[in-house]
Amino acid sequence: MSSIESIHREIQAQTAKSVNVGLTIRNWLIGCYISEYELKGADRAEYGEGLLDRLAEKLTDLGVSSCQKRRLYAYLRFYQTFPEVARSLTAPFQKLLPSTVLSEYDSKVRSLTAQLELESLSYTHIEQLIALDSSEKVDFYCFHCIEGCWSVRELKRQIASLLFERSQL
């Protein structure tokens, strides 16, 4: 009986992790789409601020969850902050990327760092990281979060306690 329970718990944990990785990749790909297709690599779309409002409305009508305007901005920032995710995608997902994104990376060599980030950090972790104001802080907290197996609560605590700034002293 205990072995069945053990199997059940292990499969449940693996399933939850797979779902989290899938949603994280989805969010990154949405950010990629916004940046490369809608904004065409520019900081702003030439045709106005209403782009993300219209996109959020269309996605909601299609039944795509968690695509409010604020979320779309976060997905865009995720894509811009973690471009190396492109190297960790499997071939079917890489086919969805524009050639401009893939040309920046050797698509045949998968990034172990990006893969580790996807497998170790939940999207909630990533939301905390992309809110930081410098790439040095993102890299610092990302490294320590993975190394220390920090929960989201611990990551928030470390950011609030200014661990990065204190360690620079």
Side-chain angles (χ1 to χ4, degrees), residues 55-65 67-68:
L55 190 55
E57 189 177 315
K58 286 180 185 176
L59 291 171
T60 301
D61 290 346
L62 291 171
V64 180
S65 63
C67 285
Q68 302 83 0

Side-chain angles (χ1 to χ4, degrees), residues 102-152:
L102 286 179
S103 65
E104 294 179 33
Y105 302 100
D106 178 2
S107 61
K108 292 181 175 58
V109 179
R110 295 188 68 198
S111 168
L112 294 177
T113 304
Q115 191 65 36
L116 183 62
E117 290 169 353
L118 284 174
E119 291 177 1
S120 302
L121 302 174
S122 69
Y123 185 71
T124 310
H125 284 99
I126 290 168
E127 285 181 319
Q128 298 304 309
L129 294 169
I130 64 176
L132 298 170
D133 59 6
S134 76
S135 60
E136 292 81 19
K137 285 183 183 181
V138 171
D139 292 343
F140 175 86
Y141 285 111
C142 187
F143 171 79
H144 287 288
C145 192
I146 292 170
E147 183 183 67
C149 299
W150 290 352
S151 65
V152 174

Side-chain angles (χ1 to χ4, degrees), residues 38-106:
E38 296 293 336
L39 299 176
K40 297 184 178 38
D43 285 341
R44 286 183 188 270
E46 291 178 16
Y47 42 91
E49 276 289 319
L51 167 72
L52 292 184
D53 287 321
R54 290 189 301 275
L55 190 55
E57 189 177 315
K58 286 180 185 176
L59 291 171
T60 301
D61 290 346
L62 291 171
V64 180
S65 63
S66 298
C67 285
Q68 302 83 0
K69 180 181 175 181
R70 184 179 63 80
R71 291 279 190 176
L72 295 179
Y73 274 115
Y75 301 159
L76 177 59
R77 181 138 169 111
F78 176 29
Y79 169 72
Q80 293 167 336
T81 306
F82 291 92
E84 69 274 9
V85 168
R87 288 186 54 199
S88 70
L89 299 176
T90 57
F93 287 121
Q94 284 188 357
K95 289 178 184 175
L96 299 173
L97 299 176
S99 59
T100 55
V101 173
L102 286 179
S103 65
E104 294 179 33
Y105 302 100
D106 178 2

